[in-house]
Amino acid sequence: MIRSRPVLALMPGLMIAGAGVLVALPAASHTKGAPPLVEERQAAMKDMKDAMKVLVPMVKGEAPFNAAHAAEAAAVIHGVSTRIPDFYPPESTYYERGHALPAVWEEPQAFRDSAAGALEAAAALREAVDGAGEADAIAPAVKEVAETCRTCHDDFKKDDD
């Protein structure tokens, strides 16, 4: 179960507005004084990371498979993935105070292609989770989401110190 933020509070927004909308949550920014959009994207990315922390132990056999928790986590990942391009508007210059590299804005097509790959992987994960009765059924989709995240981070995110 995702515990770092009330992710269940996101579910009504996802269900009402569709998988493409997440309700913005107030959250502490990793970068004090960052603009609200930076804080929002950091909170959303943290939600996605927390969702992966639910799924990965299931597919590794370190936690029992729980279809409801897997579906919740997949919905969060998909919802955040639909918003990734919006979190980095072309006219912004917020990367100085966040974790994003200037490459996000200097190579916008490559970034948007990477975001599209993440969304495709997230959609496949939601489909795999739907009706899955065991972790093996979702393992390839979880792996693909992890790989798309890693690829984007390698190219467009500052290394964590």
Side-chain angles (χ1 to χ4, degrees):
M1 182 172 240
I2 302 169
R3 296 180 185 176
S4 67
R5 242 188 251 44
V7 175
L8 291 176
L10 293 174
M11 296 311 290
L14 287 171
M15 294 170 69
I16 293 168
V21 177
L22 281 175
V23 176
L25 293 175
S29 172
H30 297 217
T31 309
K32 292 191 186 271
L37 182 61
V38 174
E39 291 182 7
E40 183 181 353
R41 82 173 175 233
Q42 289 173 345
M45 295 299 180
K46 173 89 169 70
D47 289 341
M48 190 180 319
K49 182 179 179 179
D50 291 344
M52 287 298 287
K53 288 180 180 179
V54 169
L55 295 169
V56 170
M58 286 184 202
V59 300
K60 286 185 170 183
E62 298 168 356
F65 180 73
N66 182 306
H69 292 166
E72 177 185 328
V76 169
I77 291 166
H78 186 264
V80 172
S81 295
T82 64
R83 299 201 53 218
I84 290 173
D86 299 332
F87 286 139
Y88 303 89
E91 69 279 358
S92 69
T93 58
Y94 300 145
Y95 57 83
E96 300 93 356
R97 294 177 277 176
H99 298 282
L101 290 172
V104 169
W105 293 271
E106 293 168 356
E107 302 171 33
Q109 189 58 53
F111 176 73
R112 299 232 182 273
D113 290 347
S114 186
L119 180 56
E120 186 177 311
L125 174 61
R126 282 194 75 182
E127 186 175 315
V129 167
D130 187 30
E134 59 183 37
D136 289 346
I138 66 168
V142 171
K143 181 180 178 185
E144 184 62 26
V145 167
E147 288 176 7
T148 62
C149 291
R150 188 175 312 109
T151 297
C152 191
H153 286 193
D154 287 349
D155 295 339
F156 301 106
K157 183 179 181 277
K158 293 177 186 174
D159 289 333
D160 292 330
D161 295 334

